Amino acid sequence: MGRSRTDIPTSYDAVSLAEAIRARALSSEQVIAAHLERIESLNGRFNALVTVDQERALRSAREADAELREGRVRGPLHGVPVTIKDALLTAGLRTTAGHPKYAQLVPDADAWVVDKLKAAGAIVIGKTNCAALCSDVQTTNKVFGVTSNPWSVDRTAGGSSGGEAAAVALGMSPLGIGSDTAGSIRLPSSYCGVFGLKTSIGKIPRAGHVPLHDETHARPDSLTVIGPIARSIRDLTLCYEVLTGESTTGAPPAPPRIFWTQDFTTQVIDDEVARALDETFSALTRAGADVKKVAPPFPLEKLFSTYMRLYMFEFAPEDISGALLPLFFVSEAMRSPFRGGARGSYERLKREQSALKRTMDEFLQACDCWVLPATPSAAFVHRKTGRGIPVTSRGRTKKLSYWEASVGLTYPFSLLGNPSVVIPLAGGKEGMPLGIQVVGRLGEDRKLLSAAEHVARKIGGACWDPPARLGSLLERPPLAVSTPQATGI
């Protein structure tokens, strides 16, 4: 008899692994060893992980197992492996943010989020590749090179948290932490076919995220958030609870009122995405969901100038922006020489951002979540940063700008601060995954996670589905283990 996928530790989501370890149906050491072997067997092809902490991870797993034998449980992720984007500090483990400046950085302390995960019992097994200083929609840098898409090695995994999404999709990690300034969690999650949560701005502390903005920026970053990438929405929910201390349990919520948008004034959507959205909308209506098609409260695609100017003021690393950054500040000073110069320009941008947030909040008062495409197209073929991307819309192929074709539908919610969950959809004609993003009201991440799980269940996709093209690799068990008494995926 063949071995089923539920016999394989690397095919479990984090919740199932935690249950199996606590029930001692699996040992943490077995689980960690299985994931380390998966990394060894697949990582050379995809370059998802850049640093593996094998010795410490196995030692921590043995300690976790010993604690369980004594009846001690550290937290809800006791003995569960996790991976961390290489832009977050990890004590004693190299953190480079994909930039030569940090190539030999070995921090003395963990980032806030890493410390919180460890306190909950999670075991860090490695660091995942990211775009240099988190500033590209592809995951590539001069330190570690390019990360490829699990579904097709000639395509991007997205950026800047592409290594994290690829690792989760490949079974190298059940759960990981990324960061998102314009779509860096949502874009890779959609491209790689996994789940991702962009949290509300300010929900999770960014302490220990590289680039360390206080080195170059006096202004607070109102765009970047920390969030999980996982194999199921329940994993996103568990990780959110661990990182925020907010409980999502309670009485079952009423079915959410869903707003739906897939038609935009100028934002082009690939025909594959349009077909997948049509099928998803039909599935929701057949399942009896309360879903209503609406127009956006403002032309999302026209917010780009506001977003980019704030990005330059608050985030753009000098190492990436080079001469562009001082030129930008000169242009902003000239924009209003008699109204406060660059400072006045920034203050007006912040007022505009606040006004847009109020408009968005009023729009979302009439629903519990808003569903839109996560990306205008599926993952594109590796290319030079900034080069246009072909998209076929209504039977005609046109080349979109690099940014419009990738983060054209994610950056607005970075500008506005709203939480967003990516749910993967079945692939289009070329077999690549697609995704929808489910957006919630600012600060109401718990309600959003509940609404997103409702949407996912209605369309039959609340859990991870490994890439069919990697079936033979993912079906081969790295370790022989007994079937755990916990629900597999």
Side-chain angles (χ1 to χ4, degrees):
M1 179 181 292
R3 185 180 294 271
S4 70
R5 184 172 284 136
T6 55
D7 293 316
I8 307 170
T10 53
S11 289
Y12 279 66
D13 69 355
V15 169
S16 292
L17 284 175
E19 291 171 349
I21 291 169
R22 284 196 299 272
R24 298 176 64 181
L26 282 173
S27 70
S28 177
E29 186 175 5
Q30 281 179 306
V31 170
I32 297 296
H35 284 85
L36 290 172
E37 189 164 329
R38 180 72 77 208
I39 292 167
E40 184 178 359
S41 66
L42 294 182
N43 197 51
R45 185 179 180 190
F46 299 97
N47 194 33
L49 273 87
V50 293
T51 304
V52 180
D53 202 12
Q54 179 171 325
E55 184 177 336
R56 283 203 303 178
L58 287 170
R59 185 169 64 247
S60 296
R62 289 190 285 270
E63 292 171 358
D65 290 332
E67 289 170 349
L68 278 178
R69 288 192 293 271
E70 297 170 359
R72 290 185 289 147
V73 178
R74 295 185 199 175
L77 289 171
H78 188 101
V80 175
V82 297
T83 43
I84 306 294
K85 182 178 181 177
D86 199 34
L88 288 157
L89 300 180
T90 42
L93 191 62
R94 184 166 60 155
T95 301
T96 75
H99 195 278
K101 174 181 178 180
Y102 300 105
Q104 303 305 320
L105 173 63
V106 179
D108 295 326
D110 287 321
W112 186 93
V113 65
V114 176
D115 182 66
K116 199 76 170 176
L117 286 172
K118 288 181 177 180
I123 297 173
V124 175
I125 59 174
K127 305 296 288 293
T128 52
N129 204 18
C130 64
L133 297 182
C134 306
S135 295
D136 199 346
V137 299
Q138 297 179 87
T139 293
T140 179
N141 59 67
K142 293 180 180 179
V143 181
F144 297 114
V146 178
T147 296
S148 293
N149 192 292
W151 298 63
S152 179
V153 293
D154 64 334
R155 294 180 185 244
T156 182
S160 61
S161 308
E164 197 57 65
V168 172
L170 287 162
M172 298 178 184
S173 171
L175 174 67
I177 298 297
S179 59
D180 189 312
T181 303
S184 289
I185 288 172
R186 292 161 290 163
L187 181 73
S189 295
S190 180
Y191 281 177
C192 294
V194 292
F195 297 83
L197 168 63
K198 174 212 170 297
T199 52
S200 291
I201 188 70
K203 273 288 182 179
I204 298 173
R206 292 191 303 258
H209 184 271
V210 182
L212 303 170
H213 299 294
D214 58 354
E215 293 181 355
T216 56
H217 289 278
R219 300 173 184 85
D221 175 2
S222 67
L223 304 172
T224 304
V225 303
I226 307 295
I229 294 174
R231 296 182 177 172
S232 62
I233 291 181
R234 67 179 186 168
D235 280 5
L236 299 181
T237 300
L238 174 61
C239 191
Y240 177 81
E241 290 179 339
V242 165
L243 296 179
T244 64
E246 297 180 21
S247 174
T248 58
T249 58
R257 301 161 298 163
I258 304 166
F259 277 0
W260 179 279
T261 302
Q262 67 187 71
D263 296 316
F264 304 90
T265 52
T266 61
Q267 174 66 58
V268 174
I269 301 295
D270 190 270
D271 287 341
E272 281 190 286
V273 175
R275 280 192 292 271
L277 290 169
D278 286 338
E279 292 169 2
T280 304
F281 183 83
S282 295
L284 281 171
T285 54
R286 286 196 304 271
D290 180 2
V291 56
K292 176 184 178 183
K293 289 187 176 181
V294 298
F298 32 59
L300 294 179
E301 60 274 19
K302 292 185 178 179
L303 302 183
F304 191 63
S305 173
T306 303
Y307 170 83
M308 281 306 302
R309 289 170 62 205
L310 268 178
Y311 173 89
M312 295 299 290
F313 270 116
E314 296 183 348
F315 181 86
E318 290 183 356
D319 302 80
I320 295 293
S321 306
L324 180 60
L325 201 58
L327 286 175
F328 167 77
F329 283 105
V330 169
S331 69
E332 288 297 312
M334 294 177 63
R335 183 187 293 269
S336 54
F338 304 110
R339 292 192 295 166
R343 178 178 178 178
S345 182
Y346 175 69
E347 290 172 351
R348 283 188 295 280
L349 270 177
K350 295 301 289 183
R351 288 195 293 270
E352 182 178 349
Q353 183 186 35
S354 296
L356 287 167
K357 286 183 177 183
R358 288 193 295 272
T359 300
M360 182 68 171
D361 183 65
E362 291 171 4
F363 171 74
L364 293 177
Q365 289 301 319
C367 69
D368 296 298
C369 65
W370 182 22
V371 179
L372 310 89
T375 58
S377 66
F380 53 86
V381 174
H382 297 298
R383 67 194 55 239
K384 183 178 179 181
T385 296
R387 184 172 294 170
I389 299 169
V391 171
T392 300
S393 178
R394 298 182 180 181
R396 300 180 63 181
T397 299
K398 64 177 296 185
K399 188 168 284 189
L400 300 186
S401 75
Y402 185 72
W403 307 106
E404 180 187 4
S406 54
V407 294
L409 291 167
T410 54
Y411 78 83
F413 306 109
S414 295
L415 174 66
L416 302 172
N418 296 79
S420 174
V421 171
V422 165
I423 300 172
L425 304 177
K429 62 183 179 182
E430 295 183 337
M432 299 300 296
L434 304 168
I436 53 174
Q437 59 175 331
V438 186
V439 178
R441 288 190 285 272
L442 182 61
E444 296 188 4
D445 301 48
R446 290 181 298 174
K447 291 182 180 179
L448 171 65
L449 284 161
S450 176
E453 182 156 17
H454 177 91
V455 171
R457 292 194 181 282
K458 289 293 185 184
I459 63 176
C463 268
W464 173 71
D465 186 19
R469 295 183 186 183
L470 293 177
S472 61
L473 292 173
L474 293 171
E475 289 286 1
R476 185 174 67 245
L479 289 177
V481 296
S482 59
T483 303
Q485 302 303 308
T487 305
I489 306 175

